[in-house]
Amino acid sequence: MARKFFVGGEWKHNESRKKVKKIVSTLNEAEVPCHDVVEVVVGPPFISLTLVKSLLRSDFHVAAQNCWVGEKAPISPEMLVKMDIPWVILGETKRRAASKETYERVGDKVAHALSQGLKVIACVGETLQQRESGSTMSVLAAQTKAIAEKITNWDNVVLAYEPVWAIGTDKVATPALAQESHCEFRKWLSENVGAAVATSTRIIYGGFVNGATCQEFAEQPDVDGFLVGEASMKPEFIDIIKSVGFFARSNRSPKPSRRVVNVWWLNWLKPK
């Protein structure tokens, strides 16, 4: 079965009730491909979760932007389930760095959220220093390995590749570069987690993308959608959702890409 296109929006700390209503109104009025073709999930701030859920069209879904594990957690998966929030975004790269979350901690959060019935957008990504030192795949592997060690069922996991160096900076990741990273990442999944997981798990691009650039990214065979920041609060988010048409035209196979890339260190990363 082919992977369904996925578009997520992360609204960060936009707390204006008036603006939230305006964003939701724009989404509700938009003509976009049906849910069978593209899955759309938006992540408002916690204080707006119930408002957005009550107003948002039924074919779009809502995600919390974080949750924690433990009885003293300010926002727990159990709370989100009671609020009927189906998705949560975990491991967002800048938030991960700011709160000094270890890879293992994110793995625990992903596993606990899944165990409570949530679906998870799990974020991974490298800094500019890690990219320039050639450590991109070793970083992604370590982050994903910490999740893979805690879960066995990947059906409700979407992986978001967030190149930290290409978010809110003057550095730009090209569609070809995104494809290369996604391809290498999917190959690592196949060799270290399982071919079935690599085939079915959606890997979405969480770097900078907007209405003008989304089409080229959507055409890449290993880019299964987007996790969008600032642009998800603008009308161009509709254009990003509609880029599923270019995703479909790429005639991608549900099998992992066999494109050859120079990643000699993948063998070194394999578990002993």
Side-chain angles (χ1 to χ4, degrees):
M1 184 182 226
R3 298 181 297 271
K4 184 193 295 187
F5 199 62
F6 187 101
V7 179
E10 194 173 17
W11 297 358
K12 304 297 183 182
H13 296 99
N14 174 35
E15 299 177 358
S16 164
R17 186 180 179 91
K18 181 178 180 180
K19 188 170 183 180
V20 164
K21 285 185 174 182
K22 183 177 180 180
I23 296 170
V24 172
S25 177
T26 299
L27 295 176
N28 288 346
E29 294 170 3
E31 294 185 10
V32 297
C34 69
H35 181 72
D36 291 339
V37 176
V38 56
E39 190 166 8
V40 180
V41 175
V42 296
F46 183 76
I47 62 171
S48 299
L49 283 174
T50 53
L51 173 64
V52 173
K53 182 164 181 61
S54 69
L55 299 177
L56 189 65
R57 55 196 291 170
S58 61
D59 55 336
F60 288 6
H61 296 292
V62 179
Q65 295 187 56
N66 206 348
C67 68
W68 289 262
V69 179
E71 295 180 359
K72 296 182 180 180
I75 304 170
S76 68
E78 293 85 346
M79 293 167 63
L80 297 177
V81 170
K82 289 179 181 178
M83 294 168 63
D84 200 24
I85 302 299
W87 285 88
V88 64
I89 303 168
L90 296 175
E92 192 271 337
T93 48
K94 289 189 175 180
R95 191 179 299 124
R96 183 200 293 254
S99 58
K100 295 181 170 54
E101 283 189 325
T102 64
Y103 300 164
E104 291 72 23
R105 181 62 172 167
V106 174
D108 288 338
K109 290 168 67 171
V110 170
H112 185 58
L114 291 171
S115 73
Q116 298 304 307
L118 292 177
K119 299 178 181 180
V120 176
I121 301 170
C123 303
V124 297
E126 85 282 22
T127 64
L128 179 61
Q129 181 180 8
Q130 291 165 335
R131 155 76 50 180
E132 291 180 340
S133 68
S135 302
T136 292
M137 196 57 230
S138 62
V139 173
L140 300 188
Q143 292 171 343
T144 310
K145 184 173 182 287
I147 296 172
E149 290 176 341
K150 302 290 175 62
I151 70 173
T152 56
N153 189 334
W154 290 73
D155 291 348
N156 291 323
V157 177
V158 170
L159 291 171
Y161 167 57
E162 294 187 308
V164 183
W165 52 274
I167 303 173
T169 71
D170 59 354
K171 305 287 185 181
V172 178
T174 64
L177 190 150
Q179 164 58 22
E180 180 175 304
S181 297
H182 281 230
C183 175
E184 295 172 11
F185 192 13
R186 199 178 301 282
K187 182 178 179 182
W188 184 90
L189 279 175
S190 181
E191 295 180 350
N192 295 276
V193 180
V197 170
T199 297
S200 61
T201 300
R202 289 171 289 185
I203 303 175
I204 61 177
Y205 180 64
F208 177 76
V209 68
N210 58 28
T213 62
C214 60
Q215 296 177 3
E216 282 190 83
F217 282 94
E219 290 176 340
Q220 305 306 311
D222 286 293
V223 176
D224 299 318
F226 306 105
L227 181 59
V228 186
E230 183 179 354
S232 68
M233 295 177 283
K234 299 178 180 179
E236 65 184 312
F237 189 55
I238 306 304
D239 296 324
I240 297 173
I241 296 171
K242 289 180 178 179
S243 67
V244 65
F246 293 84
F247 170 88
R249 288 178 205 173
S250 69
N251 294 319
R252 70 195 60 206
S253 166
K255 297 179 181 179
S257 172
R258 296 183 181 277
R259 191 164 72 94
V260 176
V261 291
N262 184 20
V263 285
W264 55 268
W265 27 263
L266 280 173
N267 290 328
W268 174 73
L269 290 169
K270 292 175 68 175
K272 301 298 183 184

Coordinates of all heavy atoms in Angstrom, one line a residue, residues 30 58 67 152 220 241:
A30 N -11.4 26.2 2.6 CA -10.5 25.7 1.5 C -11.0 24.5 0.8 O -11.5 23.6 1.5 CB -9.1 25.5 2.1
S58 N -14.0 18.4 9.9 CA -13.9 17.0 10.5 C -12.8 16.2 9.8 O -12.3 15.2 10.3 CB -15.2 16.3 10.4 OG -15.7 16.2 9.0
C67 N 4.1 16.7 25.0 CA 3.5 16.1 26.2 C 4.6 15.4 26.9 O 5.8 15.3 26.4 CB 2.4 15.1 25.9 SG 2.9 13.6 25.1
T152 N 7.5 -1.3 19.1 CA 7.6 -2.4 18.1 C 6.6 -2.1 17.0 O 6.8 -2.6 15.9 CB 7.2 -3.7 18.7 OG1 6.0 -3.6 19.4 CG2 8.3 -4.1 19.8
Q220 N 9.7 14.7 -4.8 CA 10.9 13.8 -4.4 C 10.3 12.5 -3.9 O 9.4 12.4 -3.0 CB 11.7 14.5 -3.3 CG 12.3 15.8 -3.7 CD 13.0 15.8 -5.0 OE1 13.8 15.0 -5.3 NE2 12.6 16.8 -5.9
I241 N -0.8 21.9 1.1 CA -1.7 20.7 1.1 C -2.0 20.2 -0.3 O -1.9 19.0 -0.6 CB -3.0 21.0 1.9 CG1 -2.8 21.4 3.3 CG2 -4.0 19.9 1.8 CD1 -4.0 21.9 4.1

